[in-house]
Amino acid sequence: MNIVCLDMEGVLVPEIWIAFSEASGIPELRRTTRDEPDYNKLMNFRLGILKEHGLGLKEIQAVIAKIDPLPGAKDFLDELRSITQVLILSDTFEQFAKPLMEKLNWPTIFCNTLEVGGNGEITGYRMRCEKSKLTTVKALQSIGYETIAAGDSFNDLAMIQSGKAGFLFKSTEQIKKDYPAIPAYEEFGDLLNAIKAAL
């Protein structure tokens, strides 16, 4: 019994924070998990910048509403879901993910949640669990699933390396260089074929 675990941002949809950085004109918000391995450090950095500029959930959601999945992502996901179980494991937040999941035909996603004040200020965040991607993959394995995973960032490496097969997808040159044993792909068709071969 197989289950495929996919990262969301950078793999199926553009990076939300990069899109918001461009829309808001705040270059510091371009930092993602591709640049910063410590997620808590990254999120606290982001929340500090939002507070400094008086920006909140409403402004970010307005940008997300205009984001479309990466070209080919929906077809890739539809075909993959027709042949095996698929779970999206993301360090994003429910408040960000919902409109994107609608555009991808409502795949199952496990992610985190934001703490939002009455004025829309993002005051904090709650992670679903420690090392959420690896913890989830291990839990799936403990109930009889073999996992196959794909992602693009530092926070995907543990889930990619702990399954029966794992792939980098649209990753950075540095991560590909640092982890040459992990097959790396740039096109959805190639990733789909690699996953099918591993099933």
Side-chain angles (χ1 to χ4, degrees), residues 24-150:
S24 64
I26 304 170
E28 297 92 331
L29 288 174
R30 287 187 67 84
R31 273 182 86 68
T32 70
T33 51
R34 290 171 166 217
D35 312 299
E36 174 54 69
D38 184 330
Y39 191 74
N40 287 320
K41 186 175 168 186
L42 179 63
M43 273 308 297
N44 288 322
F45 171 75
R46 288 166 168 169
L47 294 185
I49 290 174
L50 292 178
K51 190 174 180 65
E52 186 186 317
H53 290 269
L55 296 167
L57 181 59
K58 182 169 57 92
E59 289 82 4
I60 298 175
Q61 286 179 327
V63 171
I64 292 170
K66 298 176 189 157
I67 294 176
D68 286 319
L70 292 171
K74 186 180 178 297
D75 291 342
F76 161 78
L77 205 50
D78 287 346
E79 183 165 350
L80 192 56
R81 290 169 72 196
S82 76
I83 55 176
T84 188
Q85 296 296 310
V86 179
L87 182 58
I88 297 174
L89 299 182
S90 175
D91 280 338
T92 194
F93 305 96
E94 294 166 333
Q95 295 92 333
F96 292 180
K98 191 174 177 186
L100 297 167
M101 293 304 97
E102 183 176 5
K103 290 177 181 179
L104 288 168
N105 199 23
W106 298 112
T108 300
I109 182 170
F110 288 4
C111 60
N112 306 304
T113 192
L114 292 168
E115 294 166 348
V116 184
N119 61 353
E121 181 189 350
I122 301 170
T123 55
Y125 59 97
R126 286 200 312 277
M127 302 299 279
R128 197 166 43 77
C129 58
E130 185 82 12
K131 296 182 179 166
S132 60
K133 296 184 184 191
L134 177 61
T135 302
T136 303
V137 161
K138 292 289 186 195
L140 290 166
Q141 292 165 352
S142 78
I143 57 170
Y145 283 99
E146 289 196 87
T147 61
I148 297 165

Side-chain angles (χ1 to χ4, degrees), residues 142-166:
S142 78
I143 57 170
Y145 283 99
E146 289 196 87
T147 61
I148 297 165
D152 69 325
S153 297
F154 286 109
N155 62 339
D156 300 314
L157 291 168
M159 77 166 179
I160 288 170
Q161 292 172 312
S162 65
K164 82 166 181 177

Side-chain angles (χ1 to χ4, degrees), residues 11-12 70-73 76 169-170 186-193:
V11 172
L12 298 170
L70 292 171
F76 161 78
F169 187 66
K170 297 185 183 293
E186 298 297 320
E187 303 296 333
F188 283 112
D190 295 335
L191 179 61
L192 184 64
N193 289 336

